[in-house]
Amino acid sequence: MINKRLLIKNLLAQYDENSFYDKKRQLNLHTKSGKAKFLKHICALSNSNPTNNSYLVVGVEDENDQIVGVDFYDDSKIQNLVNAYLENPPNITYDNIAFPILPHDRVVGLVTIEPNQETTSFKRPISDIVVNTSFTRVGSTSVPIEDVVFSIPNNKDIVASIEKSSQNNLSNILESVVTFMAETHKDLRPKYCVFKEQFIICWGATKKLVRGTPFYSRMDIEFVNEQIKLFYSALDAVTVYYDDNEFIITEYLNLGLNDKTSYYPFEQVAIYFHDNGKYTISRTLLFEPPTYNTNIIQHIYNSSLKVIYKLKREERLSSKEERVLGRLCFNMMLCFLNGFEEAKEDLISVKDYLKKANDPQLFIAFKEVMRILRKLKYETEQDDE
């Protein structure tokens, strides 16, 4: 089993960007241009590596390979984006890899592009990329195939060697468990669970009771064998179930109006461990958004717009408006889910104001809402932006 943190270290230590490996400071999948850049690199890496995995590492400075990390990116539907725009799309996975040198809320993203024997191309235009364009890798650059003499490099042996040298070992596993339990989350009463005598999951959280139901917040879950951070949030409410064969996380959203005890199931992540030394992860979206009286939602929307207007003009908020600001992100999401389609863009328009706010929870809430809406979009339609 590959230790994906060790895999990233091996890639950074031994190789510059090339035909099977690329690195980025961050991804921006909120905009068309950001999505286009991401899809271009996936297309190019896939075409350059039809017989072996290729990798995109996110959260590394381009010039000096310094590991700076990115936010935990919880998006199981990123494959839908690839499928929506690419012909003969490769299978990809995005893993959040924990590094002890980073803060708890930062990870390194690892995109794995699986081998694909067919040539990948764009079947839909996006940003400045037109239909039928196909890319390949020339050194560290992704370029249109028609602009170069296209030849497929033979990366199979070298990638196999890298992956072999990144296999997990007992020392790495023990070190990770001890670090998680004794250092990283010693304030959260951390636990570890062993499955099938070989898989280890560490998790820590703050427990709370809501209407008699135990929920956990500040949840951090790490799959030690592959150094994957499975879940992280400062705002969540989750339940946990596990037995000898599975570990199941169910995430809930607090979307009540002036009610801190109304939780709605959002998504369930189940990890199943098999006797043959393999595991599978399934994700099921459970969310059915609450509906409210149109007049009530209209009032919330108008109040929120007033606060947004003042934020843009840098005007001082009243005490009542400060309270509206505290729920701005989730209230605008409720408005969006109840038919006020402009609410999402209205909220995005004050992203920079929320990011610079004295209260860091405001921007945390913004990122949480964007994550939720992105997941709902990928679940219900093929991305049409």
Side-chain angles (χ1 to χ4, degrees):
M1 188 172 297
I2 293 178
N3 179 320
K4 294 185 176 179
R5 185 164 73 203
L6 184 56
L7 173 64
I8 292 172
K9 288 181 177 181
N10 285 336
L11 287 170
L12 293 177
Q14 301 178 38
Y15 300 94
D16 292 326
E17 295 169 305
N18 51 43
S19 57
F20 62 84
Y21 156 61
D22 197 2
K23 61 178 182 287
K24 298 295 174 189
R25 173 62 182 81
Q26 60 185 6
L27 297 179
N28 179 8
L29 299 182
H30 295 304
T31 65
K32 286 184 179 180
S33 61
K35 290 177 183 177
K37 290 178 182 178
F38 171 73
L39 291 166
K40 180 178 73 173
H41 294 310
I42 296 298
C43 179
L45 287 165
S46 179
N47 287 331
S48 298
N49 297 276
T51 60
N52 56 267
N53 289 334
S54 48
Y55 298 99
L56 175 61
V57 178
V58 186
V60 176
E61 291 287 2
D62 209 15
E63 296 182 356
N64 57 10
D65 285 346
Q66 181 183 359
I67 296 174
V68 293
V70 289
D71 289 335
F72 181 89
Y73 187 75
D74 179 17
D75 196 342
S76 60
K77 305 302 178 184
I78 196 171
Q79 180 74 55
N80 289 18
L81 175 64
V82 173
N83 293 346
Y85 282 96
L86 299 184
E87 189 73 34
N88 300 319
N91 291 325
I92 71 167
T93 55
Y94 187 106
D95 292 315
N96 297 277
I97 311 304
F99 273 75
I101 63 173
L102 295 175
H104 302 336
D105 60 342
R106 306 286 282 181
V107 295
V108 174
L110 178 65
V111 182
T112 303
I113 301 100
E114 297 181 11
N116 180 23
Q117 298 293 331
E118 303 294 332
T119 300
T120 301
S121 60
F122 278 77
K123 64 182 179 182
R124 294 172 59 186
I126 180 171
S127 189
D128 58 349
I129 301 176
V130 300
V131 175
N132 296 326
T133 302
S134 189
F135 292 88
T136 187
R137 297 282 290 183
V138 176
S140 61
T141 307
S142 299
V143 299
I145 285 179
E146 58 267 25
D147 292 349
V148 296
V149 177
F150 180 47
S151 61
I152 299 175
N154 185 1
N155 294 318
K156 186 174 182 178
D157 290 342
I158 189 170
V159 172
S161 175
I162 296 169
E163 292 174 343
K164 183 178 180 179
S165 65
S166 303
Q167 293 294 315
N168 221 336
N169 58 59
L170 184 58
S171 176
N172 287 333
I173 291 174
L174 289 175
E175 180 182 345
S176 296
V177 172
V178 170
T179 298
F180 191 100
M181 301 290 292
E183 298 179 20
T184 309
H185 294 300
K186 59 184 178 181
D187 59 327
L188 296 180
R189 297 184 179 179
K191 302 177 177 63
Y192 71 90
C193 312
V194 180
F195 301 88
K196 303 297 183 181
E197 299 183 333
Q198 64 182 124
F199 301 103
I200 301 177
I201 286 182
C202 290
W203 61 287
T206 299
K207 187 176 181 179
K208 61 181 178 181
L209 288 176
V210 179
R211 297 178 180 177
T213 300
F215 285 95
Y216 296 93
S217 61
R218 294 181 63 200
M219 175 65 79
D220 193 353
I221 304 174
E222 188 173 311
F223 182 25
V224 174
N225 299 67
E226 295 192 356
Q227 301 295 310
I228 297 174
K229 191 182 285 284
L230 293 173
F231 192 92
Y232 180 85
S233 177
L235 295 178
D236 53 51
V238 305
T239 59
V240 171
Y241 167 82
Y242 58 92
D243 58 24
D244 293 340
N245 303 305
E246 60 187 4
F247 188 94
I248 298 176
I249 314 152
T250 305
E251 181 184 1
Y252 292 77
L253 304 179
N254 176 218
L255 294 178
L257 296 177
N258 300 316
D259 176 8
K260 295 183 179 181
T261 63
S262 293
Y263 285 88
Y264 297 82
F266 179 59
E267 184 181 44
Q268 186 175 89
V269 180
I271 310 168
Y272 300 97
F273 301 99
H274 307 292
D275 292 322
N276 61 359
K278 296 183 179 181
Y279 70 94
T280 54
I281 298 178
S282 68
R283 298 175 183 268
T284 305
L285 196 71
L286 307 173
F287 190 54
E288 293 186 8
T291 56
Y292 292 99
N293 180 278
T294 302
N295 292 333
I296 294 176
I297 294 296
Q298 182 71 64
H299 173 72
I300 292 173
Y301 185 53
N302 291 341
S303 300
S304 299
L305 284 181
K306 185 178 180 181
V307 169
I308 288 174
Y309 176 80
K310 282 194 168 185
L311 287 177
K312 290 180 176 180
R313 292 175 62 89
E314 299 184 358
E315 296 181 8
R316 185 169 182 173
L317 302 181
S318 67
S319 57
K320 181 179 179 181
E321 289 166 343
E322 288 284 355
R323 291 193 294 271
V324 173
L325 177 61
R327 288 288 300 177
L328 179 67
C329 295
F330 286 97
N331 282 347
M332 290 299 272
M333 179 173 69
L334 273 181
C335 292
F336 177 80
L337 295 174
N338 280 266
F340 289 76
E341 295 185 359
E342 303 87 354
K344 179 180 176 181
E345 293 304 320
D346 291 331
L347 180 58
I348 291 174
S349 71
V350 290
K351 172 185 176 180
D352 291 340
Y353 299 90
L354 299 174
K355 189 173 184 178
K356 297 174 184 176
N358 293 329
D359 183 0
Q361 294 299 313
L362 293 176
F363 191 58
I364 291 174
F366 173 84
K367 291 188 290 185
E368 184 79 354
V369 164
M370 291 298 108
R371 176 183 72 90
I372 292 165
L373 293 180
R374 184 175 62 246
K375 277 196 169 187
L376 293 175
K377 181 179 180 65
Y378 288 165
E379 179 71 18
T380 57
E381 62 184 54
Q382 292 291 295
D383 191 287
D384 62 358
E385 292 188 3

